[in-house]
Amino acid sequence: MVILKTKAGEPAVRGIQPLVNIQETDKEVILEAEMVGLSKEDINLELKDDELIITGKAREPESMKGYTLIHRERCPFEYVRSFMLNDIIDKDKINAQYENGILKVTLQKTEAAHSKKIEIKG
Amino acid sequence: MTLIPWRPREEWWDPFADLERIQSEMNRMFNLSLAQQGSRNAGLLEGAWSPAVDIHDSKHNILVKADIPGLTKDDIEVTVQGDVLIIKGEKKQDKEIKEKNYVRTERFYGSFQRSIRLPSEVKVDKVEATYKNGVLELVLPKSEKAKPKQIKLDIK
């Protein structure tokens, strides 16, 4: 059951979309996004109605005094991605941590949405 | 995604402004799609994923930066052979969570290897490596013979 999805028809915004993995367990949904090169303060999580918006931008461009760039593949650290949350997510219980370039967002499900095992009477 | 954002027409139409807009939009599109792919010209031994790498050169050092999200510093192996730098590692998946719980997987897991030919030979024993926020940073001091030498000539 996919309970989170990228908002369709997203307008073209500056920044790259981070790659994400989403896991769902009985009680929570865990979202992991690859956002290298930021510090914790550079990341912004915003909840606008049902939309969870993740943005991140490195505050200062890396200064490379005395160096000349001779080969480039990496891009500036600017990330944008948003997800639509549905009713089973408890919007007051969202927390996030950033480690080794991965942003991990833990979304708790509401009590009512917890899966319960139903005993079959013989 | 709209290719060209709509803008109110100015009183005097400037065709070059439109061309510039298209060019910047194209650049942005390429950034979006190719940015996370790492290197396009990866070698035979390099698998499905390899980190994107920047190389900076200076008089005394070579600075290499590689984007490797989600590892710890013990998972990364860096070796230098002559003027070839090899970055190896393995991105491991969280074992606690069972595979069936994934509803979306976009991130890559598995081992990777990237070899980079450096612009000059380096002092292998003096290489400094740091790993922070998913970025591996290597400072490789150039070997003495690789440094540019100034030769003084007596002009008569």
Side-chain angles (χ1 to χ4, degrees), chain A residues 67, chain B residues 61-65 78 80 85 122-131 136-142:
Chain A
Y67 283 100
Chain B
N61 298 315
I62 300 164
L63 178 76
V64 177
K65 287 188 171 196
V78 180
V80 181
L85 168 75
V122 293
K123 291 177 195 161
V124 180
D125 51 333
K126 295 244 169 68
V127 177
E128 271 179 51
T130 47
Y131 181 68
L136 175 73
E137 200 175 306
L138 301 164
V139 179
L140 309 114
K142 289 182 180 177

Side-chain angles (χ1 to χ4, degrees), chain B residues 28-92:
Chain B
R28 196 190 57 78
M29 267 174 59
F30 275 103
N31 278 339
L32 277 178
S33 55
L34 300 178
Q36 292 147 331
Q37 308 274 328
S39 166
R40 289 261 122 192
N41 42 20
L44 250 184
L45 286 170
E46 288 153 18
W49 182 87
S50 66
V53 171
D54 278 359
I55 305 169
H56 301 261
D57 192 18
S58 80
K59 207 169 159 189
H60 303 292
N61 298 315
I62 300 164
L63 178 76
V64 177
K65 287 188 171 196
D67 291 345
I68 315 173
L71 270 76
T72 60
K73 64 175 197 269
D74 306 315
D75 294 335
I76 307 169
E77 196 188 311
V78 180
T79 47
V80 181
Q81 288 171 6
D83 63 347
V84 178
L85 168 75
I86 300 165
I87 303 168
K88 261 196 245 183
E90 195 183 345
K91 286 172 89 176
K92 286 174 196 137

Side-chain angles (χ1 to χ4, degrees), chain A residues 75-88:
Chain A
C75 49
F77 304 127
E78 215 177 316
Y79 306 92
V80 185
R81 191 150 182 185
S82 79
F83 299 90
M84 296 305 288
L85 308 183
N86 64 12
D87 294 341
I88 40 177

Side-chain angles (χ1 to χ4, degrees), chain A residues 56-74:
Chain A
K57 189 185 176 185
R59 267 174 304 174
E60 282 166 32
E62 301 163 289
S63 62
M64 295 282 138
K65 257 188 188 166
Y67 283 100
T68 39
L69 185 66
I70 55 168
H71 180 83
R72 184 183 190 107
E73 290 166 9
R74 298 160 72 225

Side-chain angles (χ1 to χ4, degrees), chain B residues 101-115:
Chain B
N101 289 332
Y102 278 98
V103 289
R104 191 183 194 102
T105 46
E106 295 170 355
R107 297 175 53 208
F108 162 86
Y109 293 103
S111 47
F112 64 87
Q113 179 175 338
R114 181 83 203 264
S115 356

Side-chain angles (χ1 to χ4, degrees), chain B residues 7-19 21-22:
Chain B
R7 258 168 227 181
R9 225 349 100 79
E10 282 120 40
E11 208 173 322
W12 299 98
W13 180 60
D14 178 5
F16 293 102
D18 270 355
L19 276 177
R21 245 172 253 152
I22 292 169

